[in-house]
Amino acid sequence: MDAAQPSGAPEPGDVHRRLASGSDVDTATDFYAQLHNAHRVQLEPVRDRDFGFRMRSVGDERFSLRSSTVTGTRWGRIEPVGRYLVTWSQHGNAVFDAGTADEHVLFPGVPAAYPVGRPFTIEAAAGVVMHAVDVDAVYLEQLNAARGGTPGPLSLTRRPEAGSLTRLQDRLSAAAPELLDTATPAVRRTALVGSVSRLLLDAFAVDTPPPGTRQTGSVDRAREFIVDHCAEPITVRDIAAAAGISERGLQQAFTRAGLESPTVELRHARLEQVRVALRHADPGTASVADIARAWSFGHLGRFAGYYLQHFGERPSDTLRG
């Protein structure tokens, strides 16, 4: 599977950090409205507490992370056109569409998807911190289709399966420091965005079969897991767990299928992604070493040998095009 940027989706662009903080209600309201494509925003100070806010968004047109802290109450009508968002609260609950038949209470630390295809309201009590993952719709839809989902707009569940949700949360926690760092190399950012986006689909996309069920055999499940997660620091134990068999059983299954070991399969998947990254990189600014390290090749001499053996050319030749 080619994990390059899906055709038609935004190319990885300049990463921007948007930050606002202070004590002015009007400034907070305007920034919140722009950040969330919200209308009729109401941020209200509460009695006996000075108003303050801090809001942040880091990313590009394809993928960004957001957070907002408001010491007052908040309410707004959201219209997420061309975007899919998953959000979660800290230090209290938030509510989508309060007082309606579509009311959905968000509990602290539990991610929930924004309603899709329609405007909705969101409100939260004073002091609640809100976090969100914001993904371009075209990018996520094409990624979903490439993984066997139905092409076109996604349907996102309100009740994600607990295991998939935990995997998404764990990956977000691990990836957040690099995603929030505007100096993270573009190739590394692309790998992290793809990894988080796949887990987001696993957790929330209604028409995407659960991980490990899109194909029936243990070897197929293992190879699918390797392709979907090769940007992550996975081990043979992780691959075996995804395939539903023991590590020894996985090795034997690969041998019976006439394949090399799962470790070699993982290496080959990462080499393919390095090749994609090299082909799309700017030879004037990109570094073979940086791209290789972004795909978990720590020993550059061995990496160069693997690459030459696999593709019949040196990685520097691929970069120069």
Side-chain angles (χ1 to χ4, degrees), residues 187 274 278 287-300 303-304:
V187 64
V274 169
L278 290 170
S287 160
V288 169
D290 287 344
I291 292 174
R293 290 191 187 99
W295 288 97
S296 300
F297 290 103
H299 193 292
L300 298 181
F303 158 74

Side-chain angles (χ1 to χ4, degrees), residues 1-192:
M1 186 183 301
D2 187 349
Q5 185 70 15
S7 175
E11 292 293 330
D14 292 337
V15 177
H16 299 286
R17 177 188 294 272
R18 302 175 63 191
L19 179 66
S21 61
S23 58
D24 184 75
V25 176
D26 291 338
T27 300
T29 300
D30 290 344
F31 191 84
Y32 188 90
Q34 294 173 18
L35 198 63
H36 296 278
N37 196 27
H39 304 274
R40 301 201 303 273
V41 175
Q42 299 172 16
L43 304 180
E44 300 287 346
V46 294
R47 182 177 299 179
D48 300 326
R49 187 173 185 181
D50 292 337
F51 181 84
F53 72 96
R54 180 178 176 84
M55 302 178 192
R56 178 184 65 184
S57 175
V58 181
D60 56 20
E61 285 299 311
R62 178 188 45 168
F63 183 101
S64 64
L65 297 180
R66 300 177 182 172
S67 64
S68 60
T69 303
V70 182
T71 61
T73 61
R74 72 177 83 185
W75 183 95
R77 185 174 185 270
I78 310 291
E79 296 184 18
V81 179
R83 319 294 301 177
Y84 292 106
L85 290 97
V86 168
T87 188
W88 62 100
S89 65
Q90 279 183 288
H91 310 308
N93 297 346
V95 186
F96 293 150
D97 294 319
T100 74
D102 295 316
E103 181 174 290
H104 182 187
V105 178
L106 281 64
F107 295 99
V110 181
Y114 274 26
V116 174
R118 64 174 179 84
F120 66 97
T121 64
I122 184 170
E123 63 182 79
V128 172
V129 180
M130 297 297 299
H131 302 279
V133 177
D134 178 346
V135 190
D136 174 74
V138 174
Y139 171 80
L140 199 62
E141 288 165 7
Q142 293 184 352
L143 184 61
N144 184 60
R147 302 173 72 232
T150 303
L154 303 175
S155 295
L156 304 183
T157 183
R158 290 175 59 165
R159 297 176 178 83
E161 186 269 329
S164 295
L165 202 57
T166 298
R167 287 188 288 273
L168 172 62
Q169 291 173 296
D170 290 346
R171 188 62 185 139
L172 271 171
S173 295
E178 290 180 272
L179 289 171
L180 292 171
D181 183 355
T182 57
T184 296
V187 64
R188 177 60 176 166
R189 183 173 295 276
T190 294
L192 293 170

